Amino acid sequence: MTNPDLDPEVYPPLDPHEDVPDDPGELLPETPDELPEAPVEPMPDDGDPGGVPEPA
């Protein structure tokens, strides 16, 4: 699959050595100022929090 030819005036080529801007631009009006807390992921039920189960 190939990318379509993009107009370099509208989509200038990216320079991997150029710094990424800190300000991504204006956010949508309904975007909250702070993100909600991440949901707690279930732990494995082997009694060892964060442990990796041993192979059978």
Side-chain angles (χ1 to χ4, degrees):
M1 185 170 167
T2 61
N3 291 335
D5 292 330
L6 300 175
D7 182 7
E9 292 294 321
V10 178
Y11 300 101
L14 297 176
D15 180 4
H17 303 290
E18 185 177 313
D19 289 337
V20 176
D22 290 333
D23 183 13
E26 186 176 330
L27 298 176
L28 296 175
E30 64 270 5
T31 304
D33 289 336
E34 293 185 16
L35 294 176
E37 291 291 324
V40 176
E41 295 188 14
M43 299 296 289
D45 195 18
D46 60 359
D48 183 17
V52 178
E54 293 186 19

